[in-house]
Amino acid sequence: MSSAAGASPEALRGRSVSVKVPATSANLGPGFDTLGLALALYDELEVSVRDEPGATVEVIGVGAGEVPTDESNLVVRAIAHTFEAVGVPLPGLHLVARNNIPHGRGMGSSGAAIVSGIMAAKGLLEGIVELDADRLLALANDMEGHPDNVAPALFGGLTIAWVTETGPRFKKLIVHRGVSPLVLVPEHVMSTALARSLQPESVPHEDAVFNVSRSALLVAALIQSPELLHAATEDKLHQSYRASAMPETDRLITLLRANGFAAVVSGAGPSILVLGSDPGQRLEAADLVAREAQTRWQPLMLAVDFKGATATLHEAAPADAPAA
């Protein structure tokens, strides 16, 4: 990382950055707090440096009229956290957030907001401070608390994330082209904190061994052998403990799995992720849910995002620059 010595808001004047961050689905069944998948549904952000101190936020789409539009906004807090971490004073900012990722549905909206802010800071600081992949993940993990959602949001694809004494780490893998994700999104929300509170502090030894085997198999299924996805998405560590808090999710997952579909809770829920082994399979799964669901579920047929978060810096031309 280059030095931030001497950096000031003046050095950032005229800068703006465009950011694009994918949705994610974490856990994927057995890979609790470890595996995550980036999905081609995006939140987009424009951040401009302004002369006035503080921050203003305009929200378009999901969360409009609901999320804060001042310095307490999660994206702004992530930008501020990054600037503070590298020792650069935070300039005045104006943000325009175009949100498409549903909130409170287990699709990584909070992780995407955190990653959006960190990537915006990275873009604004280009040429002043350089942030590598490990530092970006550490900054995101500081705020999110676990790396399974922020890793795929940052880097795309399938990620395996783990935490060491020196910080979080990740490995990105390319998903087999036959894997066809379907996310079924209900109208109701689920609190991640509530979902986590239902987890027991310990689990039986045989359940732990069961999940180790399925997690290993799931990596192989996602990158090489999609025909194994149904067996590979079995879980005994977290979904059954959370079932009482989202009975319709649990009922539909049981129904989907009984019909041969690799269905799991997406993140903390209540959305359902179906990992089809081909595009036709997810159409069949969506049709089954449309027939059998007791409430409305929106089917999102999404590609795997392979790129991850992007940030593009724009700098204002000097006042005396000739016209193009």
Side-chain angles (χ1 to χ4, degrees):
M1 182 178 69
S2 60
S3 172
S8 68
E10 183 65 28
L12 301 169
R13 177 171 288 179
R15 288 190 166 194
S16 63
V17 63
S18 303
V19 176
K20 187 175 181 181
V21 180
T24 56
S25 184
N27 302 325
L28 311 183
F32 184 61
D33 278 2
T34 302
L35 299 181
L37 189 66
L39 300 169
L41 178 69
Y42 302 94
D43 281 354
E44 299 184 30
L45 178 70
E46 301 283 339
V47 182
S48 303
V49 175
R50 60 177 197 165
D51 292 332
E52 301 83 4
T56 56
V57 184
E58 179 183 354
V59 180
I60 301 167
V62 177
E66 299 173 1
V67 301
T69 55
D70 56 14
E71 290 89 344
S72 66
N73 181 281
L74 182 56
V75 179
V76 178
R77 288 192 281 127
I79 296 172
H81 175 67
T82 306
F83 270 76
E84 181 180 8
V86 300
V88 177
L90 185 69
L93 299 171
H94 178 64
L95 287 70
V96 179
R98 294 178 175 84
N99 295 339
N100 293 297
I101 302 172
H103 288 182
R105 304 301 206 286
M107 295 186 69
S109 61
S110 64
I114 290 167
V115 169
S116 292
I118 291 169
M119 290 297 292
K122 172 182 166 62
L124 291 173
L125 291 165
E126 187 175 307
I128 300 170
V129 179
E130 298 304 322
L131 298 166
D132 64 16
D134 287 340
R135 189 70 189 278
L136 292 172
L137 182 60
L139 289 165
N141 190 63
D142 286 345
M143 298 188 69
E144 178 77 349
H146 40 90
D148 54 329
N149 266 321
V150 293
L154 279 166
F155 309 117
L158 169 68
T159 58
I160 306 170
W162 68 100
V163 179
T164 72
E165 292 181 355
T166 57
R169 298 288 182 266
F170 78 99
K171 175 63 179 177
K172 174 182 175 178
L173 299 169
I174 301 301
V175 176
H176 190 284
R177 64 183 181 180
V179 174
S180 302
L182 163 68
V183 183
L184 297 155
V185 184
E187 295 176 332
H188 57 282
V189 302
M190 178 71 184
S191 160
T192 300
L194 172 60
R196 286 190 167 272
S197 73
L198 300 173
Q199 281 302 121
E201 292 187 6
S202 61
V203 296
H205 179 269
E206 57 268 29
D207 289 355
V209 172
F210 181 96
N211 269 61
V212 168
S213 70
R214 297 312 190 274
S215 295
L217 182 61
L218 181 54
V219 172
L222 284 168
I223 67 174
Q224 183 177 329
S225 305
E227 70 276 6
L228 296 174
L229 280 167
H230 187 267
T233 48
E234 293 179 298
D235 161 69
K236 291 188 177 181
L237 278 191
H238 67 104
Q239 293 179 122
S240 61
Y241 298 107
R242 299 172 171 184
S244 62
M246 36 188 166
E248 180 73 346
T249 296
D250 181 59
R251 186 182 73 83
L252 289 175
I253 287 176
T254 300
L255 175 67
L256 284 161
R257 295 194 66 84
N259 282 271
F261 299 107
V264 298
V265 177
S266 181
S271 294
I272 296 168
L273 172 68
V274 179
L275 293 170
S277 57
D278 63 68
Q281 193 178 57
R282 65 182 179 181
L283 287 169
E284 295 170 11
D287 183 61
L288 177 62
V289 169
R291 293 197 313 268
E292 299 292 339
Q294 296 172 355
T295 55
R296 181 178 176 273
W297 292 69
Q298 179 186 12
L300 299 178
M301 299 192 190
L302 303 173
V304 175
D305 170 88
F306 294 104
K307 196 169 187 180
T310 59
T312 304
L313 174 65
H314 313 284
E315 296 196 70
D320 57 353

